[in-house]
Every structure is written in C-alpha cells, then in structure tokens.
Amino acid sequence: MKRGRPFGSQVRQNVVDILYFMKRGYGYEIFKVYKSLFPLVTNRVIYYHLARGKELDIFKVDKVQIESGNYSWGNKAEKIYYSLSSKAKPTMSVKVKEYFDKKKTKD
C-alpha cells in the first residue's frame, strides 16, 4: 500500500464531469450546478479546485470577460470561463448526465 495522501480529489473530478457536459463555464455557474447535484460545498472550494486544476493542466482558461453592472463590490465583475484541457479525464457521471439531460428538455 502506498503511503501518503492520494492524488486527486472527488470534488475536482465532479467539476470535470460538470464541465464535460457544459463545455465551458465560469466559477459561479459551475458552483450552482455542483450545489444542486452534490451536498455541502462552498463557492470557495469550487474556485480552489478550478485554480488547482488549472495548475495541474486539467482546466484551461477559455476567456476572461468583464461585465458591467451594479454589484455590491463595484460596477464591474470579471468572469473567467473555464473548459477542459486534453489532460482531463471525465468519468461520465450518470448523476451529472441526467441533470443536463433534464435541463435540455426544459429549454
């Protein structure tokens, strides 16, 4: 048996599966989907795993968009859109697939 902490994270793998079906998304959008599918996660954890996945070359920054509006912190917000890189290995989670299938039928 190997010693030490195992490599990888279930949260990050779930984000990979979500992005596989979304194709592209920004942090809060991914967080909303994650929270509706899996229990007890904070926005901060999702942003951490997006940043860590970017370091591991699992996610790539697709584009950065500045949006103007009336926000509590000011008049603009930066949305960083992520997509999967070639190193990402989606597991095709049934739970995530069913969520996006239901979402397609509603639209």
Side-chain angles (χ1 to χ4, degrees):
M1 187 164 114
K2 292 183 181 179
R3 297 183 67 177
R5 193 165 184 267
F7 181 76
S9 161
Q10 187 59 49
V11 173
R12 195 173 316 118
Q13 185 58 51
N14 291 339
V15 171
V16 167
D17 290 338
I18 289 169
L19 270 176
Y20 176 78
F21 291 104
M22 285 177 78
K23 305 296 183 218
R24 180 177 85 181
Y26 59 93
Y28 187 66
E29 185 179 34
I30 296 166
F31 166 72
K32 289 190 293 186
V33 173
Y34 194 104
K35 192 161 175 137
S36 67
L37 289 170
F38 304 103
L40 299 174
V41 69
T42 63
N43 202 357
R44 191 175 203 156
V45 169
I46 298 300
Y47 282 107
Y48 167 80
H49 283 290
L50 287 169
R52 181 72 175 131
K54 196 173 93 178
E55 288 174 13
L56 296 172
D57 204 27
I58 296 170
F59 306 123
K60 61 183 179 182
V61 173
D62 205 34
K63 73 176 182 175
V64 178
Q65 184 176 342
I66 307 288
E67 290 196 4
S68 298
N70 187 16
Y71 303 105
S72 61
W73 58 86
N75 59 357
K76 54 185 162 178
E78 181 181 75
K79 290 184 179 179
I80 302 172
Y81 286 84
Y82 295 91
S83 60
L84 296 178
S85 76
S86 57
K87 282 190 175 179
K89 293 180 175 62
T91 59
M92 302 288 291
S93 169
V94 174
K95 192 174 190 177
V96 177
K97 184 178 182 335
E98 287 174 354
Y99 174 86
F100 283 101
D101 287 344
K102 285 180 187 176
K103 192 173 178 180
K104 276 184 187 176
T105 58
K106 285 183 182 178
D107 293 339

